[in-house]
Amino acid sequence: MMVMRDLNIGTKVGLGVLNDRWAALVLINLKAAPTEIMNLRQRVRGLSTLKLLNVLAKLTELGLVATAGNYQFQLTTAGISFQKQLHQLEVWGDQMIVAMH
């Protein structure tokens, strides 16, 4: 029997994205089709344009988002997959909340 002392690196990267609320909100609000940054900023309230650009740069570096030119961004295939996982996590969380009450 193998004893785990730490999470694998893939799990750590995924949890890092999930732990960054702005990254998760951006991923939830992006689509496969290009989205203009100001439209995205209107959907994700509470962060500055500079912070949004930093989050998008991080997500681009992780291969979850791609630039589509002229300050437009879209989900990559990996980003679409991650977004689906975020939705599944939301469904699970909603079920847990209902089950607690």
Side-chain angles (χ1 to χ4, degrees):
M1 175 182 196
M2 187 170 83
V3 176
M4 287 188 64
R5 298 192 190 284
D6 202 1
L7 299 171
N8 73 32
I9 191 72
T11 302
K12 287 180 180 181
V13 170
L15 288 173
V17 173
L18 288 175
N19 197 40
D20 180 340
R21 101 175 160 150
W22 296 122
L25 284 169
V26 167
L27 286 170
I28 291 278
N29 283 283
L30 269 176
K31 307 209 178 314
T35 302
E36 291 183 4
I37 191 166
M38 294 316 286
N39 290 340
L40 183 59
R41 186 160 180 262
Q42 288 174 351
R43 284 188 256 165
V44 182
R45 296 286 183 167
L47 79 161
S48 68
T49 303
L50 180 60
K51 176 66 177 172
L52 177 57
L53 285 168
N54 287 334
V55 169
L56 288 165
K58 175 183 170 185
L59 295 173
T60 299
E61 186 178 301
L62 291 171
L64 300 172
V65 171
T67 58
N70 294 336
Y71 292 101
Q72 294 186 359
F73 297 85
Q74 65 191 69
L75 292 173
T76 62
T77 302
I80 292 167
S81 176
F82 200 94
Q83 185 185 63
K84 288 177 184 175
Q85 298 305 314
L86 283 172
H87 286 297
Q88 288 298 316
L89 185 60
E90 179 182 7
V91 168
W92 177 84
D94 289 346
Q95 290 171 346
M96 292 298 102
I97 290 170
V98 170
M100 286 190 238
H101 290 92

